Amino acid sequence: MFSMPSASVLLVVLSLLPTLVYYLSVYRLASPIGNIDSAGIAGAYLGLLFLCSGFVAIVGRPNAGKSTLLNALVGQKISITSRRPQTTRQNIAGILTKGEAQLVFLDTPGFQTQYHTGLTKAMDRGFRNALSEANAVLWLIDVTAREHADPQIHARLADSAAPVVIALNKIDKISNKNQILTTIQALDVAYHPAAIVPISAQNRLQLDTLLQALMPLLPQREFLYPAEDVTTSSVRAISAELIREKLF
């Protein structure tokens, strides 16, 4: 049977830890894929335990500002924007790597209830596919809209096991801030989301707060994509989307 080490032994071990970490940080580790010059191998291994990454589906009514929000989050224009509804016809994936978290945003077509054409049916399939992949759902609601409650979208989200964060967009257009608080309280009572964050996608207001609400909802695992990537779309696909934006 092993006996517990004495207090003096523990003190010696603890005193040696800084030296151990130092030598690990400057040691070049040879591996089959080449030399890894780490600024702290011990810290790197520990960091892997806290990495999180996952898919976040951005959903909402047409013209809620989904594409504008996606572009603001990743810091580049990868999804087209227009005053005309339904300009987003495919699920554009935007990638944001921030510290130990990587969020892969799926910009879905604007939610609608009429599916009379092949195009609208295909867009609805894109909406459903995004929900099936999502680890979290970002429900974007236009605070300037006449009605904020949306039982139809909520009913669709109820089919997904992913937690929902509501982003109340375009708060910069509301002069009466009490109106925003009233809307937040009403949405919280109606839908009980994981969080409600008032934002302005166009002016990049409260986006860090929004990210802080989403990150804890992601599963702990290694990054899904290289940290420097910002989208899964090819240059050709983005160029085609930008041309279509000009036509709209």
Side-chain angles (χ1 to χ4, degrees), residues 11-230:
L11 286 174
V12 171
V13 172
L14 290 175
S15 67
L16 290 175
L17 278 178
T19 304
L20 176 62
V21 172
Y22 169 77
Y23 280 111
L24 283 174
S25 68
V26 297
Y27 183 76
R28 296 179 64 87
L29 177 64
S31 72
I33 60 174
N35 290 332
I36 302 173
D37 190 3
S38 173
I41 296 174
Y45 281 121
L46 287 174
L48 287 175
L49 299 176
F50 301 101
L51 292 179
C52 63
S53 63
F55 293 96
V56 180
I58 305 177
V59 305
R61 289 287 177 176
N63 286 339
K66 297 183 297 298
S67 297
T68 300
L69 176 59
L70 176 60
N71 293 335
L73 288 171
V74 303
Q76 293 188 32
K77 190 177 185 66
I78 62 172
S79 185
I80 66 174
T81 60
S82 172
R83 293 182 180 275
R84 182 172 178 175
Q86 303 304 339
T87 50
T88 300
R89 297 184 178 181
Q90 58 181 321
N91 294 344
I92 305 295
I95 304 168
L96 174 64
T97 303
K98 193 175 180 68
E100 290 76 34
Q102 184 179 81
L103 303 95
V104 184
F105 294 100
L106 303 175
D107 181 17
T108 64
F111 179 82
Q112 52 183 323
T113 56
Q114 302 296 323
Y115 308 104
H116 298 308
T117 67
L119 175 60
T120 54
K121 290 178 181 178
M123 292 166 72
D124 182 59
R125 283 196 299 273
F127 182 91
R128 288 186 278 109
N129 290 340
L131 287 184
S132 67
E133 292 183 61
N135 301 110
V137 175
L138 176 52
W139 182 3
L140 198 62
I141 296 177
D142 183 352
V143 72
T144 67
R146 183 173 301 177
E147 293 291 336
H148 304 119
D150 200 326
Q152 291 174 318
I153 288 186
H154 182 254
R156 296 290 293 273
L157 297 184
D159 295 333
S160 171
V164 177
V165 170
I166 293 178
L168 207 55
N169 194 25
K170 305 181 184 180
I171 60 171
D172 55 302
K173 300 183 183 300
I174 301 296
S175 57
N176 184 1
K177 302 308 177 185
N178 288 329
Q179 179 182 341
I180 299 175
L181 292 175
T182 301
T183 303
I184 290 174
Q185 292 171 351
L187 291 172
D188 186 43
V189 170
Y191 303 127
H192 308 291
I196 301 177
V197 184
I199 67 166
S200 170
Q202 187 171 18
N203 294 331
R204 302 173 185 265
L205 297 176
Q206 292 266 90
L207 297 190
D208 282 341
T209 304
L210 179 60
L211 292 174
Q212 290 169 10
L214 289 168
M215 288 177 183
L217 306 179
L218 303 179
Q220 287 191 350
R221 59 184 174 186
E222 295 184 27
F223 292 163
L224 300 170
Y225 298 94
E228 63 273 11
D229 286 5
V230 295

